[in-house]
């Protein structure tokens, strides 16, 4: 019996898979990949005699049956997923049948599209004294939101929000942020196909105009919505400094020039 590896392919650019993920693909006997977002990594790195299958038209039962069957024949089986497999990746739904069939499985993390989107825009998701928390969430589509996790409730924290799976519900995102008291001029960012060579689009706007701007740019799918008080900080006249690099701050690896108390 082989092992099924749930590998994060990263956000789209095949160079953003981890070294470990790539090595596993290079030795894989079978690869089941999740739709068009990750096919390039699969076809680039898997050996010529590897069984490669797109899971786009498969049910969960068909996918797990395919993986179990592949594990009976191959030492290394890869389930390739977009971004990181632990975010909106149906990981547990797939691993439970593997456990039931006594098939060994492991997870290799990947660069999530939330991180790739911030990188594409050159933005930081945390900034001292402004926001030190990132919420990864979505709005309710066919999957309902658990009680207390409605965007309106999460947005009340006024922290950074990375909103997955919601670009077609941008009006609902706007409604929730308004209801939580975000001002009309709050900066917002939408990144379409983050890291995809030649296809990435970064749309910047405000709570008031982000939907119109996305329509103008024809961004209607495969997009990350980011709302954060830290957006645009690189252009501000002044920001609070990170203590870690403050010359007056002593920590494990560096003595302060003029020591101050560690808080
Ligand atoms: N596990 C993935 C998320 C899968 S859910 C991850 O960690 O990124 C699919 C959603 O992820 C999409 O609706 C979109 O919101 C986001 N997404 C995936 N790839 C993206 C990309 N390259 N650019 C922007 N958003 C992306």
């Amino acid at each position: 019996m082989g092992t099924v590896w749930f590998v994060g392919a990263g956000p789209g650019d095949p160079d953003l898979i981890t070294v470990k993920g790539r090595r596993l693909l290079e030795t894989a006997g079978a690869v089941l990949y999740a739709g068009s977002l990750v096919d390039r990594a699969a076809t680039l790195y898997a050996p010529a005699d590897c069984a490669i299958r797109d899971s786009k038209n498969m049910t969960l039962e068909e996918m797990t049956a395919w993986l179990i069957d592949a594990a009976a024949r191959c030492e290394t089986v890869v389930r390739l997923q977009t971004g990181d497999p632990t975010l909106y990746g149906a990981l547990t739904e797939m691993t439970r049948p593997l456990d039931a069939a006594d098939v060994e499985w492991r997870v290799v993390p990947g660069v999530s599209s939330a991180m790739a989107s911030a990188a594409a825009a050159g933005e930081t998701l945390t900034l001292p004294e402004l926001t030190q928390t990132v919420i990864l969430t979505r709005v309710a589509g066919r999957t309902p939101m658990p009680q207390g996790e409605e965007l309106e409730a999460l947005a009340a924290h006024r922290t950074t929000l990375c909103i997955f799976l919601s670009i077609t519900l941008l009006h609902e995102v706007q409604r929730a942020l308004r209801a939580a008291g975000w001002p009309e001029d709050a900066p917002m960012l939408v990144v379409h196909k983050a890291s995809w060579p030649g296809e990435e689009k970064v749309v910047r706007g405000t709570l008031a105009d982000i939907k119109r701007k996305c329509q103008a740019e024809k961004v209607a799918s495969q997009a990350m919505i980011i709302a954060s008080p830290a957006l645009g900080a690189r252009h501000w006249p002044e920001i609070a400094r990170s203590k870690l690099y403050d010359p007056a701050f002593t920590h494990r690896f560096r003595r302060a020039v003029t020591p101050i108390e560690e808080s």
Side-chain angles (χ1 to χ4, degrees):
M1 267 292 193
T3 299
V4 176
W5 295 83
F6 291 84
V7 174
D13 179 350
D15 277 359
L16 285 177
I17 194 169
T18 62
V19 173
K20 181 160 187 155
R22 179 176 170 168
R23 284 199 182 126
L24 284 163
L25 275 179
E26 284 166 352
T27 56
V31 176
L32 184 63
Y33 69 89
S36 57
L37 277 169
V38 295
D39 56 351
R40 285 197 50 211
T43 45
L44 265 179
Y45 302 132
D49 58 349
C50 175
I52 303 180
R53 169 100 198 245
D54 184 352
S55 63
K56 198 166 53 209
N57 303 316
M58 294 165 92
T59 63
L60 192 78
E61 288 72 16
E62 287 167 344
M63 283 160 61
T64 49
W66 195 92
L67 292 171
I68 290 166
D69 180 63
R73 291 178 286 107
C74 320
E75 196 181 317
T76 303
V77 177
V78 172
R79 162 65 182 164
L80 196 60
Q81 310 209 189
T82 62
D84 182 84
T86 65
L87 291 168
Y88 311 107
L91 181 65
T92 302
E93 293 94 312
M94 279 188 274
T95 58
R96 282 165 56 103
L98 299 187
D99 280 335
D102 261 336
V103 173
E104 231 187 282
W105 58 270
R106 307 272 298 275
V107 181
V108 179
V111 175
S112 174
S113 56
M115 277 68 233
S117 296
E123 297 284 356
T124 181
L125 299 178
T126 62
L127 199 63
E129 293 175 30
L130 205 61
T131 174
Q132 294 286 281
T133 305
V134 181
I135 295 177
L136 307 179
T137 190
R138 60 172 299 174
V139 294
R142 269 174 301 176
T143 308
M145 289 306 280
Q147 209 190 349
E149 290 191 27
E150 300 80 12
L151 188 59
E152 185 176 332
L154 299 177
H157 292 282
R158 296 293 182 97
T159 180
T160 297
L161 301 164
C162 296
I163 308 168
F164 292 72
L165 295 161
S166 304
I167 191 65
T168 58
L169 299 166
L170 199 45
H171 56 280
E172 176 50 27
V173 173
Q174 287 173 306
R175 189 206 60 75
L177 295 193
R178 285 185 178 122
W182 289 53
E184 288 300 308
D185 63 354
M188 286 185 71
L189 177 69
V190 170
V191 183
H192 170 69
K193 289 198 165 183
S195 87
W196 280 58
E199 294 187 62
E200 177 182 277
K201 268 189 205 168
V202 176
V203 182
R204 293 175 190 276
T206 61
L207 177 52
D209 66 14
I210 191 70
K211 185 159 181 234
R212 188 173 49 72
K213 289 197 166 168
C214 285
Q215 280 165 344
E217 294 284 334
K218 297 195 170 35
V219 170
S221 67
Q222 295 175 352
M224 177 65 51
I225 305 164
I226 299 181
S228 168
L231 287 178
R234 63 178 166 173
H235 300 301
W236 299 345
E238 247 180 275
I239 55 164
R241 285 181 61 143
S242 166
K243 293 271 184 285
L244 192 61
Y245 304 113
D246 193 319
F249 189 70
T250 295
H251 61 72
R252 215 145 52 90
F253 304 111
R254 182 165 49 72
R255 287 215 77 74
V257 182
T258 328
I260 55 167
E261 292 283 305
E262 190 168 348
S263 57

